Amino acid sequence: APADRSARVLLRGRVERLAGQPDLARRAFAPARIELEQLVQRTPDEAGFHGSLGIAYAGLGRRTEAVREATLGCECESRPQSKCDTAPRLDCLVDLALVYTMVGQPAEAIAALDELLGRSGWSTPHRLRLEPWWDPLRSDPRYQALLVKYEVRE
């Protein structure tokens, strides 16, 4: 399925970015962008496609489009069930936080992560500490405070 292929290509682009290979990352993000634009056009109420397209745009340096698409994904998730063909989930917030991180907007990324951690048991401070996607935020005192805020205390 095109969505599965796009997800794999996006992951490859994200990994290439982490590995310090911006040219290889762009080569992954470019075809993903084309596929995802088509998927968004065919199924505009699918939040995941908007979030993924936002990540592809961010990987290509298209900041404005990246934030717009990731935001649209979260708006889709907040619509009544009848208007959104996906079950309610918090993936849109992860996508939005990732886009904000990729385009260099740490305050907005941290705000999205704060909302995510406040609404779910799916993502945890431990998970955020392990995932390399959040490396650009690690030195930010607001990010460190966020991890402490949601740390499970026994």
Side-chain angles (χ1 to χ4, degrees):
D4 293 336
R5 182 182 161 348
S6 296
R8 283 192 308 274
V9 174
L10 277 182
L11 183 57
R12 172 178 227 132
R14 290 168 61 187
V15 169
E16 296 293 2
R17 271 177 65 106
L18 287 173
Q21 300 293 326
D23 291 338
L24 292 175
R26 277 190 295 280
R27 280 192 263 175
F29 287 125
R33 175 196 59 86
I34 293 167
E35 286 180 21
L36 287 160
E37 284 175 344
Q38 293 168 354
L39 289 168
V40 163
Q41 192 171 36
R42 284 196 301 268
T43 51
D45 285 341
E46 173 55 52
F49 293 156
H50 286 284
S52 293
L53 181 55
I55 292 167
Y57 282 148
L60 294 168
R62 296 171 63 172
R63 298 169 61 121
T64 303
E65 295 99 326
V67 171
R68 180 194 69 226
E69 287 300 324
T71 302
L72 282 171
C74 286
E75 288 171 2
C76 179
E77 284 298 335
S78 66
R79 292 180 195 161
Q81 285 298 337
S82 61
K83 294 191 177 180
C84 215
D85 67 358
T86 58
R89 38 175 206 177
L90 300 172
D91 293 347
C92 67
L93 289 171
V94 175
D95 291 344
L96 184 61
L98 181 58
V99 164
Y100 279 134
T101 300
M102 292 173 73
V103 301
Q105 294 181 243
E108 292 84 351
I110 293 165
L113 290 172
D114 191 11
E115 185 176 349
L116 174 71
L117 291 170
R119 290 174 49 188
S120 82
W122 175 84
S123 197
T124 64
H126 179 69
R127 184 173 179 169
L128 295 182
R129 282 187 181 98
L130 294 175
E131 292 176 333
W133 323 120
W134 313 117
D135 285 354
L137 303 176
R138 294 202 196 287
S139 64
D140 191 310
R142 296 168 297 188
Y143 180 78
Q144 294 301 320
L146 179 73
L147 297 178
V148 170
K149 176 180 176 181
Y150 290 102
E151 193 64 56
V152 176
R153 291 169 186 82
E154 296 186 31

